Amino acid sequence: MARPEARASFGSSDPLGVLMFRASPTRAERSPAGRTHAYELEVVGDELSQRLEAILPLLGQLLQEKAEATRARKLTDLVEFMTAQMVVPSVVDIRMAQRLAERHARVLNEFGHFSAEQLADLHHSRASSRTALADNWKRRRLVLALRHRDAEGVEREVFPAFQFGEDHKPLPIMSSILAAFGPNKSPWKLALWFTSANGWLPGSARPVDLLHTAPEAVVEAARRDAQGRAT
């Protein structure tokens, strides 16, 4: 004989009519953990009912474990945020940050940069998303994207102009260089690598200056540097 009802602590409805789920008319009661709500789940068929009754205890355990993991993660995030607010940077830290900010600014000022929307316009992209083209290139590791705050202080992604050809497409060499470093070197450190003197290149040239005239040498320099500390 089919069991007519089974109580559950979750809610959904089945369009096939196998399960019927509704709020219980029983008045909600106050528990130590807060207000407890009652629901009714009507199951059609012995086999399904038995399986559901076997699953429900596991479901409760999984929900509890998920809640505890989420709580722990949020607590960690909160501690990290509060710590960041309380830590006062030293004079040395401030000077280092200033020098690094100046180097970042020089890269963007010397070579220029594009936004994802500008790249879409240059290529007459018809995609509904104005960032789709740049997102595709970034996903395929064809371009270098940097996080940068604009004049309004809003952080957004920009793409250094030195990595594009006259047709505003990524230089073929870029994929080889990014592949050589892999995911271990941060985007801004990669940008500084491109724009800093490199002992592996003739005359300790900057990689950015040889992207068109000696691309093989730049790729080889990237591979040699990637063998060292790339973080």
Side-chain angles (χ1 to χ4, degrees):
M1 180 179 294
R3 295 172 175 81
E5 284 190 342
R7 291 194 178 274
S9 58
F10 64 95
S12 65
S13 59
D14 179 14
L16 299 179
V18 178
L19 303 175
M20 185 169 64
F21 174 76
R22 60 182 175 271
S24 172
T26 304
R27 193 186 188 103
E29 298 178 354
R30 177 69 65 178
S31 69
R35 186 170 295 280
T36 300
H37 298 274
Y39 300 92
E40 294 180 355
L41 180 65
E42 186 172 333
V43 183
V44 177
D46 284 339
E47 183 177 357
L48 180 59
S49 177
Q50 293 170 1
R51 291 183 179 180
L52 185 61
E53 289 178 2
I55 291 173
L56 285 177
L58 297 177
L59 178 60
Q61 180 182 351
L62 290 174
L63 289 174
Q64 182 178 359
E65 292 175 355
K66 181 65 175 178
E68 291 174 352
T70 301
R71 187 180 300 110
R73 186 180 69 252
K74 289 186 175 181
L75 178 60
T76 299
D77 293 342
L78 181 60
V79 170
E80 291 179 352
F81 173 79
M82 295 177 67
T83 301
Q85 303 304 309
M86 290 186 286
V87 172
V88 179
S90 67
V91 174
V92 174
D93 290 337
I94 293 174
R95 289 175 179 172
M96 289 180 61
Q98 289 175 334
R99 287 197 294 267
L100 193 57
E102 290 171 357
R103 294 183 68 188
H104 290 183
R106 282 199 298 269
V107 170
L108 298 180
N109 290 335
E110 180 178 359
F111 300 100
H113 58 276
F114 300 110
S115 67
E117 293 80 5
Q118 288 172 325
L119 290 172
D121 291 339
L122 289 168
H123 288 272
H124 308 288
S125 174
R126 297 182 179 180
S128 57
S129 171
R130 305 304 296 151
T131 66
L133 178 65
D135 288 342
N136 177 271
W137 287 344
K138 188 173 64 172
R139 184 173 60 254
R140 294 163 57 196
R141 299 278 294 171
L142 301 179
V143 293
L144 173 64
L146 305 174
R147 302 297 300 182
H148 172 66
R149 292 189 182 276
D150 60 20
E152 287 73 35
V154 178
E155 188 178 62
R156 59 184 305 174
E157 280 189 333
V158 296
F159 301 83
F162 63 71
Q163 61 188 323
F164 299 99
E166 293 182 358
D167 57 358
H168 300 107
K169 292 182 180 179
L171 296 173
I173 188 179
M174 286 300 300
S175 62
S176 299
I177 295 173
L178 296 179
F181 284 109
N184 297 322
K185 202 173 187 70
S186 67
W188 266 113
K189 287 191 176 181
L190 270 174
L192 295 176
W193 178 88
F194 274 103
T195 56
S196 301
N198 191 294
W200 297 112
L201 296 174
S204 294
R206 300 183 305 176
V208 69
D209 296 324
L210 301 181
L211 291 178
H212 295 276
T213 58
E216 296 84 0
V218 176
V219 172
E220 182 60 24
R223 289 171 178 163
R224 289 176 179 270
D225 283 334
Q227 293 175 357
R229 196 168 190 174
T231 57

